[in-house]
Amino acid sequence: MALQQDQDSFYLSEEEYLTTEIHSDVKREYIDGRIYAMAGAGYNHNCISANILRKFGNHLEGTPCATFMADIKVRMGKDYVYPDVLVDCSKMAGDDVFSTSPVIIVEVLSRSTRKTDTTTKLLRYINLPSLQEYVLIEQDIVSVQVLRRNKHWLSEYYFLGDAVTFESIALTLNVEDIYDRVDNRDMNEFREGKA
């Protein structure tokens, strides 16, 4: 989802953010004391997020791990963000509104979020002790980037015809399954080639 700096208030304390976020009509991320409103996401973004949520959730059924999409915040010190998809294997309570122990975080990239997702959030995410994998998925082209703790956070890229193993949850997905129903040039050409 796109980030937009909230023009009404540039800085809030952590306590003010948590108090006002409960009543906010718009989801807002909180980074370095600044509030960023979350703009809505388009068709491709939602397809990718839903595909990941469904595949992860089905695979993890019956385990302590839970998969969330866009409404559970991740707490990173005094910062709070809404990843597109996350998996948390700690025992969260019914009234929890944020995760402090995600094992995998997925962000779907767009022009408006690419810089934040690949810099600001990346640096914060990889410092979470629980996080094992950070996944960045392009929506305008077919490209899946996975950074793993056990590989010193070095990027690995996957494209059409590849399979991605999400080691933290022991799940392998074909790249084309991640992009099911996505309408971009790469996927349209791929589908035409299979017809």
Side-chain angles (χ1 to χ4, degrees), residues 7-174:
Q7 298 302 318
D8 296 331
S9 58
F10 289 103
Y11 290 98
L12 287 179
S13 71
E14 179 184 11
E15 184 178 309
E16 290 170 321
Y17 165 73
L18 291 171
T19 301
T20 59
E21 182 66 6
I22 294 168
H23 306 291
S24 177
D25 293 334
V26 176
K27 287 190 298 189
R28 303 168 306 157
E29 295 190 327
Y30 182 75
I31 301 171
D32 291 332
R34 289 181 182 252
I35 301 293
Y36 297 89
M38 304 294 294
Y43 174 82
N44 283 346
H45 186 287
N46 278 290
C47 281
I48 293 167
S49 296
N51 290 339
I52 291 288
L53 178 76
R54 185 177 65 255
K55 299 285 187 181
F56 282 12
N58 288 344
H59 174 71
L60 294 170
E61 210 170 278
T63 73
C65 300
T67 308
F68 302 98
M69 187 169 110
D71 282 328
I72 293 288
K73 294 183 282 291
V74 171
R75 179 181 177 186
M76 303 172 295
K78 293 186 176 195
D79 296 332
Y80 298 84
V81 297
Y82 288 95
D84 292 315
V85 179
L86 72 90
V87 174
D88 188 310
C89 296
S90 67
K91 187 158 172 72
M92 292 179 67
D95 58 350
D96 285 345
V97 294
F98 56 83
S99 164
T100 57
S101 302
V103 295
I104 186 168
I105 290 175
V106 178
E107 293 284 9
V108 179
L109 301 177
S110 66
R111 287 183 200 100
S112 61
T113 65
R114 183 173 286 104
K115 183 177 179 182
T116 302
D117 290 341
T118 60
T119 57
T120 306
K121 286 185 179 181
L122 168 66
L123 293 173
R124 284 164 172 77
Y125 286 155
I126 66 175
N127 283 300
L128 289 168
S130 63
L131 192 70
Q132 300 303 308
E133 293 172 292
Y134 181 39
V135 182
L136 299 157
I137 303 175
E138 294 281 354
Q139 63 178 313
D140 298 325
I141 60 170
V142 175
S143 176
V144 178
Q145 178 183 2
V146 182
L147 297 92
R148 294 182 175 89
R149 178 177 298 281
N150 67 5
K151 302 255 174 90
H152 308 288
W153 302 113
L154 296 175
S155 296
E156 296 176 276
Y157 291 89
Y158 301 89
F159 306 97
L160 285 169
D162 293 338
V164 184
T165 298
F166 301 100
E167 296 172 1
S168 60
I169 58 172
L171 173 66
T172 300
L173 295 176
N174 291 324

